Amino acid sequence: MAVLAGRETPVASSEGPLLHRRRLGAELRRLRGDRTLEEVAEATLISTSKLSRLENGQGVPLPRDIRDLVTFYELDPPSADRLRRWASAGRSQAWWREYTDALPAGADTYVDYESGASTIRSFAAAVVPPLLQTEAYALELYKVLPAVKSDDSARRLLEVRARRQQLLVKSDDAPQLIFLLDEAVLRRPVGPPDAFREQLDHLQVVSRQRNVSLRVVPFASGPHPGMLGLFTILHYADDRDRDVVAAESHTGERFLEQPSNVLQYLRIFDAITRKALDHDESRALIADINSPKGMP
């Protein structure tokens, strides 16, 4: 057990089933090569629609399907074992599934993507990103978010947020976290003054963690291409995993996986980065805003 942002939480499990299904799908596409889905379906007695879903990381891989595919592709024992491991993990239930009823649309899918990322780049234009939020700050946001309909939903969302933070910020194999915050994030008071000061203090503490980079885009830098809202780019160390962009909206997360879309957002992120203060300047600005003269 460990304490993070005022709450004691258990360490969360690691990668979700979606990532393993995607890896399995990428490998099945590679193994099929120039063969058609119909050829593989005829030989394995697996329907073409199911094969297509498996190759796209959408289907639930059954043991007999993997057995028949291993036989058809004549895989050596290490390759066969790898497919079986991915298939088994793809059938598992992630810890966040018990919170699905409380999560906004698309949030469970986002947590699944997040769970296996090696680098997470996030830009925030209006509010502190969830991985950096204190409990008090998050509770104030839940009061105005239309997706949070009850106190019980808010409590369950706090549990998800705390477990995500524990896994991503405190674990030994935590990913690299790169945050760009527009100055508006630091200037907009959320909750009572003491709670907002606590949030700004927390940003200072987290910014010094070995795997965290936190930089502020000041008002003085003028307009930039991130002004339309919050987005996150999730990068994976395994070449089988396609990078993903998650763009947040009032109706839930929108996920972009096409390489051209990911590249476009990487360029946007780089353009915003060029407008940002360096790490020391960013901490100095946060401290200045959090001082008596800087608080509204």
Side-chain angles (χ1 to χ4, degrees), residues 10-291:
V11 175
S13 59
S14 55
E15 296 177 348
L18 175 60
L19 292 169
H20 294 284
R21 292 176 193 171
R22 292 172 85 224
R23 289 168 190 161
L24 175 67
E27 183 65 5
L28 290 177
R29 287 195 302 274
R30 187 191 69 79
L31 289 169
R32 182 160 61 86
D34 295 331
R35 303 178 184 91
T36 66
L37 283 172
E38 288 74 18
E39 289 178 82
V40 180
E42 183 178 357
T44 61
L45 301 181
I46 304 172
S47 70
T48 55
S49 60
K50 186 169 190 179
L51 283 171
S52 178
R53 289 196 303 275
L54 288 175
E55 289 189 4
N56 286 307
Q58 297 172 348
V60 178
L62 298 178
R64 65 173 178 270
D65 298 331
I66 301 304
R67 177 201 63 200
D68 294 341
L69 288 166
V70 163
T71 301
F72 175 72
Y73 289 127
E74 300 179 339
L75 298 184
D76 57 59
S79 299
D81 287 344
R82 185 169 62 242
L83 246 61
R84 293 189 188 100
R85 286 198 304 273
W86 285 334
S88 177
R91 293 190 297 272
S92 67
Q93 290 294 311
W95 63 263
W96 53 86
R97 296 304 179 199
E98 64 184 279
Y99 298 96
T100 300
D101 59 329
L103 291 170
D108 57 337
T109 301
Y110 176 82
V111 177
D112 213 326
Y113 280 133
E114 182 185 73
S115 69
S118 59
T119 303
I120 299 175
R121 296 174 174 87
S122 185
F123 168 73
V127 299
V128 173
L131 291 178
L132 301 178
Q133 291 172 5
T134 62
E135 182 173 303
Y137 184 97
L139 273 174
E140 292 296 328
L141 289 181
Y142 295 161
K143 292 177 183 178
V144 299
L145 294 179
V148 184
K149 297 179 172 60
S150 67
D151 290 343
D152 183 64
S153 292
R155 176 187 61 79
R156 288 164 64 75
L157 285 172
L158 284 176
E159 292 175 4
V160 173
R161 178 196 56 85
R163 293 186 70 171
R164 287 170 61 196
Q165 289 181 345
Q166 190 65 53
L167 176 66
L168 294 170
V169 181
K170 294 294 185 181
S171 64
D172 291 337
D173 58 347
Q176 185 67 30
L177 304 174
I178 305 171
F179 296 102
L180 295 176
L181 307 184
D182 193 278
E183 187 174 341
V185 174
L186 310 176
R187 296 286 185 184
R188 184 185 304 278
V190 175
D194 286 350
F196 192 52
R197 289 184 189 278
E198 177 191 35
Q199 176 63 77
L200 295 180
D201 285 338
H202 185 62
L203 292 178
Q204 292 274 31
V205 172
V206 175
S207 71
R208 290 179 168 82
Q209 197 153 305
R210 60 173 178 79
N211 65 315
V212 175
S213 169
L214 191 158
R215 296 173 62 183
V216 177
V217 184
F219 290 148
S221 68
H224 57 77
M227 294 173 65
L228 295 179
L230 183 147
F231 66 89
T232 300
I233 306 168
L234 301 136
H235 170 73
Y236 304 90
D238 194 321
D239 290 340
R240 299 179 187 88
D241 295 327
R242 299 186 302 277
D243 291 351
V244 178
V245 172
E248 193 171 291
S249 71
H250 288 294
T251 56
E253 301 279 356
R254 183 167 62 103
F255 301 103
L256 306 171
E257 299 185 45
Q258 288 295 326
S260 59
N261 290 330
V262 175
L263 180 59
Q264 180 180 5
Y265 271 88
L266 282 169
R267 287 171 175 164
I268 291 172
F269 196 85
D270 287 343
I272 302 170
T273 301
R274 290 193 292 271
K275 295 263 189 173
L277 302 173
D278 66 24
H279 298 93
D280 291 338
E281 291 169 338
S282 297
R283 294 187 189 107
L285 179 58
I286 295 172
D288 183 64
I289 294 172
N290 202 19
S291 68

